[in-house]
Amino acid sequence: MIAPDDFALQTGDSLILNLDDEVLTFAPTNSPSFNGRKRYVTTFYPVESDVVIKLAKAMETRVRIKGLNATIDKRLAVRNTMLFLDFAEKCSLIPVIEPDKTGG
């Protein structure tokens, strides 16, 4: 997400995920944020593996990032969720369920 020029994260729980109406909040790690590209800032949030699975399988995902002076609210497109599911499966974060080939 591209934040406004003067955007700064609030302390504490600044990332909020709403996964199919389940609200989860996260505080960033103590690792410093860094600017990888112009207007992009990367911040790390620790999450449990079950959250990754919920995110990958969510039918609707809303993201809120709280800043000191503003809040960013976005809804992930179904395509983005599908790409994340594919990524999670390829990285073995989610077991891929193979179809039953025995015919039973």
Side-chain angles (χ1 to χ4, degrees), residues 7-98:
F7 188 83
L9 284 177
Q10 77 171 24
T11 57
D13 291 342
S14 56
L15 174 64
I16 301 165
L17 298 179
N18 185 327
L19 307 175
D20 296 330
D21 293 325
E22 179 182 358
V23 178
L24 306 167
T25 59
F26 305 93
T29 65
N30 290 332
S31 301
S33 297
F34 66 91
N35 297 333
R37 295 188 293 171
K38 185 178 181 182
R39 296 193 64 193
Y40 285 81
V41 177
T42 301
T43 304
F44 298 98
Y45 291 86
V47 298
E48 299 293 329
S49 59
D50 65 317
V51 174
V52 174
I53 293 168
K54 286 178 186 180
L55 176 59
K57 293 183 175 184
M59 297 302 287
E60 181 179 36
T61 302
R62 294 181 182 272
V63 178
R64 173 174 281 174
I65 301 173
K66 291 178 159 185
L68 295 174
N69 301 329
T71 300
I72 301 171
D73 286 303
K74 296 290 181 182
R75 182 173 169 252
L76 264 61
V78 172
R79 183 181 187 304
N80 289 340
T81 304
M82 295 303 293
L83 289 170
F84 186 77
L85 175 60
D86 185 50
F87 164 79
E89 287 174 342
K90 285 179 181 174
C91 293
S92 299
L93 300 171
I94 297 176
V96 178
I97 301 172
E98 297 291 335

